[in-house]
């Protein structure tokens, strides 16, 4: 839109509503820093931004790399709505943090019922979809913008009607298909609350770093077992490993054999 003024010169009148369509609004930084400002140069009465995707509220660990929930404009809007409640809102955010801490401590395969529910969904339960949308608009609108701004998001129902055979809606709904997804959402919220810039998932676990031990003997078994006792280590993989290192559980830390790991002759 850097040349919007030149392209649309004299085609937009001061009484017009200028409607633009975006495939999605994730963080909203492009809207704030570029698109809205350039469109405002055309002097419309109102700028309406229509998102063909619903509000992106949660991190995604399956396909799209969205590892930090604090960057999502929908999340920022919900947090701001809670903080505007004063002490009640601050208490809610703190209590949600404590619940997330409990979820993150759980082992993914434990079968614990708390891993069947995304606790971060509680952040949005008190607000209508339109309330979150209005707050997003307030957050993203540049202060010196002259035109009115309205944002319209696709609804979850509309999304399912448009693509009924596609069920991958967890970054909109928070309904993750696996317990690991529930933990990613909880970890991402914890990072936000703690002011951490860490990713919600990756090689760094909530307990420490991921370590790879190369070998298949008893010595490697002993090394892996000892590493799993370190407070700086979150999980240990052994390649190719042996029967003894197939699965070891030490508190919240695990030792497992790394499957399908390929190393060439130059690897040290």
């Amino acid at each position: 839109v850097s040349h919007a003024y030149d392209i649309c010169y004299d085609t937009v009148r001061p009484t017009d509503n200028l409607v633009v369509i975006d495939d999605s609004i994730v963080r909203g930084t492009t809207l704030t820093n570029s698109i809205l400002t350039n469109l405002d140069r055309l002097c419309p009465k109102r700028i309406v931004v229509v998102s063909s995707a619903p509000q992106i509220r949660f991190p995604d660990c399956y396909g799209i790399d969205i590892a930090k929930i604090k960057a999502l404009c929908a999340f920022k809007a919900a947090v701001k709505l809670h903080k505007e409640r004063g002490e009640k809102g601050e208490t809610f955010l703190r209590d949600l943090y404590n619940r997330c801490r409990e979820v993150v401590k759980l082992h993914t395969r434990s079968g614990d019922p708390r891993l069947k529910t995304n606790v971060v969904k509680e952040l949005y339960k008190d607000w209508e979809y339109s309330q979150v949308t209005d707050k997003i608009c307030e957050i993203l609108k540049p202060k010196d913008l002259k035109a009115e701004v309205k944002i319209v998001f696709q609804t979850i129902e509309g999304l399912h009607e448009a693509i009924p055979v596609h069920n991958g809606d967890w970054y909109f709904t928070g309904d993750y298909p696996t317990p690991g997804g529930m933990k990613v959402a909880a970890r991402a919220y914890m990072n936000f609350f703690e002011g951490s810039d860490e990713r919600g998932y990756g090689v760094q676990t909530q307990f420490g770093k991921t370590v790879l031990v190369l070998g298949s003997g008893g010595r490697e078994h002993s090394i892996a077992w000892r590493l799993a006792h370190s407070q700086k280590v979150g999980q240990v993989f052994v390649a190719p490993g042996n029967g003894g290192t197939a699965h070891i559980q030490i508190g919240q830390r695990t030792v497992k054999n790394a499957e399908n790991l390929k190393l060439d002759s130059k690897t040290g």
Side-chain angles (χ1 to χ4, degrees), residues 183-220:
K183 291 186 66 173
V184 164
R187 175 73 261 182
Y189 182 85
M190 285 179 61
N191 288 342
F192 149 75
F193 195 87
E194 295 171 355
S196 171
D197 197 44
E198 290 185 9
R199 295 167 57 86
Y201 60 92
V203 296
Q204 176 88 10
T205 74
Q206 65 272 21
F207 300 108
K209 295 183 177 180
T210 298
V211 179
L212 174 64
V213 177
L214 300 179
S216 59
R219 178 178 59 179
E220 287 73 30

Side-chain angles (χ1 to χ4, degrees), residues 4 6 8 22 32 58 73 101 149 204 266:
D6 298 324
C8 304
D22 201 346
T32 301
F58 303 93
C73 60
R101 287 185 64 185
V149 176
Q204 176 88 10
K266 295 181 181 181

Side-chain angles (χ1 to χ4, degrees), residues 55-159:
Q55 298 168 5
I56 298 178
R57 297 180 165 192
F58 303 93
D60 183 22
C61 55
Y62 304 109
I64 304 172
D65 185 20
I66 306 175
K68 299 177 183 180
I69 197 172
K70 67 179 184 179
L72 304 179
C73 60
F75 177 81
K76 290 179 181 179
V79 169
K80 189 170 184 179
L81 285 167
H82 280 288
K83 288 187 174 182
E84 288 174 352
R85 284 178 162 181
E87 184 177 348
K88 180 180 179 181
E90 296 289 351
T91 299
F92 170 85
L93 295 174
R94 183 170 57 254
D95 290 344
L96 182 58
Y97 167 73
N98 291 327
R99 292 179 63 189
C100 287
R101 287 185 64 185
E102 294 302 313
V103 170
V104 167
K105 291 177 182 178
L106 300 173
H107 191 278
T108 305
R109 298 182 181 179
S110 66
D112 192 295
R114 286 174 290 181
L115 286 173
K116 296 181 180 179
T117 304
N118 179 3
V119 296
V120 183
K121 290 178 67 173
E122 297 292 314
L123 185 74
Y124 300 94
K125 73 173 186 177
D126 292 342
W127 315 110
E128 298 290 338
Y129 200 70
S130 59
Q131 288 179 288
V132 178
T133 297
D134 290 344
K135 189 59 65 175
I136 291 173
C137 188
E138 177 185 312
I139 292 171
L140 298 185
K141 181 181 178 181
K143 293 181 179 180
D144 57 349
L145 208 72
K146 296 178 182 178
E148 299 175 33
V149 176
K150 182 177 178 61
I151 297 177
V152 180
F153 283 96
Q154 171 71 280
T155 63
I156 299 297
E157 295 76 17
L159 177 71

